[in-house]
Amino acid sequence: MHTKPDPISDQLPALRRYALALSRDHAEADDLVQEALLRGHEKRRGFRPGGNLRAWLFAILRNTFLDRLRSRKAERRREQEFAAALPEAMDAPQDAAVRLAQLQRAFSDLPDDQREALYLVAVDGLSYAEAAELAGVPLGTLMSRVSRARARLRDFEEGRAHPPALKLVGGRDASRK
């Protein structure tokens, strides 16, 4: 069985070496070769019969490398511009995480009927009528429960209701003197 020579396969070792010389990274070189072959396939009608296939593929590979290089430089420039536009100081994300945990606890500490009503309306997005039907209560009752739940959470948010005190490991509670 005779196999036909494949002129493109014959160029793969040279393409890989050239890609490695440009990128200095084996994985990047493999990606470059793959993308260059894909671009070559897409533009195969642009190859002149009898032309230098190796030179044509090398040019595609080089242009692919340069396109990626320009893209990375543009991305770095956008990241630097974005970083320059950010405020220099930001709130610690731990504060937000602690506050969210406290708010979740305050929601969990709501009476069962208020928590259910608020969940159905505010989280699940049901209408008051749908939530009242699901909870098996009159519409006015459900509206009252949602209103009281929101008021309790608003009090918590505005500091009129406090979360349970945090205990420090190795510290002393205020009750122990």
Side-chain angles (χ1 to χ4, degrees), residues 100-126:
L100 180 59
Q102 290 172 339
L103 189 57
Q104 286 173 326
R105 176 72 189 263
F107 179 82
S108 294
D109 287 346
L110 289 172
D112 292 342
D113 58 344
Q114 290 179 19
R115 188 177 62 253
E116 176 190 25
L118 186 60
Y119 176 84
L120 292 173
V121 172
V123 178
D124 241 10
L126 297 180

Side-chain angles (χ1 to χ4, degrees), residues 91-103:
D91 291 337
Q94 300 90 334
D95 293 343
V98 167
R99 189 68 181 153
L100 180 59
Q102 290 172 339
L103 189 57

